[in-house]
Amino acid sequence: MAWSPDKTVVNSWNEWDPLKHVIVGVADGTCIPPAEPASDSKIPADSDMRGMHGPRTQDTVDAANEELDNFANVMRKRGIRVDRPTPLDFNQVVSTPDFEHGTMFGCMPPRDVILTVGSEMLEATMSYRSRWFEYLCYRPLLQQYYDEDPKMRHESAPKPRLTAESYKENYLSDDITIEERLAMVAKKDFVTTEFEPLFDAADVLRFGKDLVVQHGFTTNLKGIDWITRHFPNHRVHAANFPGDPYPIHIDATFTPIRPGLIINNPERKLPDEQRKMFHDNGWEIVDSARPAHNSPPPLCYSSVWLSMNVLVLDPKTVVVEESETFQCEQFDKMGMEVVPVPFRKAYPFGGALHCATTDVYREGNCEDYFPKLTQAGMI
Ligand code: DAV
């Protein structure tokens, strides 16, 4: 049966099949939360984010919303249904029986929170105290999809306690060198402990029957184990990118473009031994183009590699930030139609085009793109 925009169907198995229905975040009320155990190790010591907290200024919110609205409209003009979350008052204390934290964050990056696998939309545990209640912004939409699509599965991963037991004490001091930091990351020594399952949805990439999950600052091994048990019909693979000093989310590091083709951040290469699964099954992993900028915009959590945080609309079409000329050029040479949109003013609110979206419906079914693979696990 053909998909139509008036009928809600939740279905998305990968990162590239033709996109028909998507959620795009909003910037309203976004706060910079105060420091917490999970965040300090992820913000470089020389970042302008250090010591900052509180609501972002209205002029920056308006500028980000203008770019988010334009992005949504570009997709609507292409026939894609776009829904938006409902922001909360983020400038309020987050309080559970286990902890209290100064403010919430925002709801610009739905990709971090909601993982769509087939007909299921799963609320991730998250790993920051400030983001504990962020799923509430998506509840109106998820409840609507649940009511409208009898096959939709609305799931929520166990909410973590996020007490001191979930974080290593004094994990990093600011005076360690970048080499020391890289050595720790290469040893998979991350800020979170293995006390309880933790994962952000943006650490997961969907390849049909296979899910590739980054083990890093925002997802621990227990989180990957939880995902593995939760999706018994999938093969779940843990991946690491040792060159990344701040391994938070996989989507500025490893970006599948279409079956058989992935761009990989040249500073965060997938180690040789983890490439086997791709090479054995005819996948090509190419270095992504360099970012066009030397630094992220002011008060931005992410690195310049948001250049490769693109949204694939179908295997021949990709939305790219318009000033990322090298990335646009690389896709152009690959024979893709490049849809440029301005987005740098939205970056500080939670990332780029992949971060700012989450799939509701892509055409296609659950395929096996790695037929020679016999076993899941560490790739
Ligand atoms: O390179 O800063 C950003 C990922 C956002 N979801 C980076 C990772």
Side-chain angles (χ1 to χ4, degrees), residues 6-186:
D6 326 314
K7 193 169 179 294
T8 298
V9 181
V10 176
N11 180 71
S12 177
W13 293 101
N14 58 48
E15 308 287 332
W16 56 79
D17 268 340
L19 182 69
K20 296 290 177 193
H21 184 184
V22 71
I23 300 174
V24 173
V26 298
D28 306 40
T30 303
C31 288
I32 300 176
E36 59 179 292
S39 68
D40 265 357
S41 56
K42 297 171 195 170
I43 299 179
D46 59 356
S47 165
D48 60 355
M49 303 287 293
R50 279 297 179 100
M52 297 287 294
H53 64 88
R56 290 181 183 260
T57 60
Q58 194 56 44
D59 59 322
T60 61
V61 170
D62 293 344
N65 271 335
E66 198 179 311
E67 292 188 340
L68 285 153
D69 292 349
N70 174 65
F71 176 36
N73 286 333
V74 164
M75 290 197 280
R76 286 193 180 111
K77 280 194 196 114
R78 302 179 79 99
I80 297 168
R81 176 172 153 196
V82 180
D83 290 334
R84 313 299 294 274
T86 307
L88 297 168
D89 173 8
F90 300 118
N91 193 19
Q92 61 176 306
V93 172
V94 181
S95 174
T96 77
D98 292 311
F99 67 82
E100 208 170 87
H101 191 65
T103 74
M104 301 179 69
F105 166 63
C107 65
M108 180 279 197
R111 188 74 61 179
D112 295 3
V113 186
I114 307 293
L115 176 65
T116 307
V117 176
S119 60
E120 170 168 338
M121 297 182 87
L122 169 66
E123 297 162 6
T125 68
M126 308 308 286
S127 56
Y128 283 26
R129 292 173 179 168
S130 54
R131 306 191 72 178
W132 208 88
F133 283 112
E134 213 169 296
Y135 68 96
L136 291 174
C137 306
Y138 304 99
R139 278 285 171 95
L141 289 175
L142 268 56
Q143 280 176 312
Q144 182 194 337
Y145 303 156
Y146 187 83
D147 289 342
E148 292 174 1
D149 174 2
K151 296 214 168 97
M152 189 268 193
R153 287 158 45 92
H154 180 176
E155 296 273 356
S156 179
K159 291 305 289 175
R161 305 291 293 263
L162 300 184
T163 63
E165 284 185 278
S166 291
Y167 308 104
K168 290 180 192 164
E169 225 183 310
N170 304 321
Y171 169 68
L172 284 182
S173 72
D174 283 346
D175 28 306
I176 68 158
T177 62
I178 192 84
E179 287 73 27
E180 287 168 321
R181 178 183 268 278
L182 285 170
M184 288 175 83
V185 167

Side-chain angles (χ1 to χ4, degrees), residues 112 202 244 246 248-253 265 268 301-306 309 350-351 355:
D112 295 3
D244 184 357
Y246 308 95
I248 308 161
H249 303 161
I250 196 169
D251 55 357
T253 297
N265 186 319
R268 309 173 185 169
Y301 293 96
S302 309
S303 75
V304 289
W305 291 100
L306 287 180
N309 186 278
C355 302

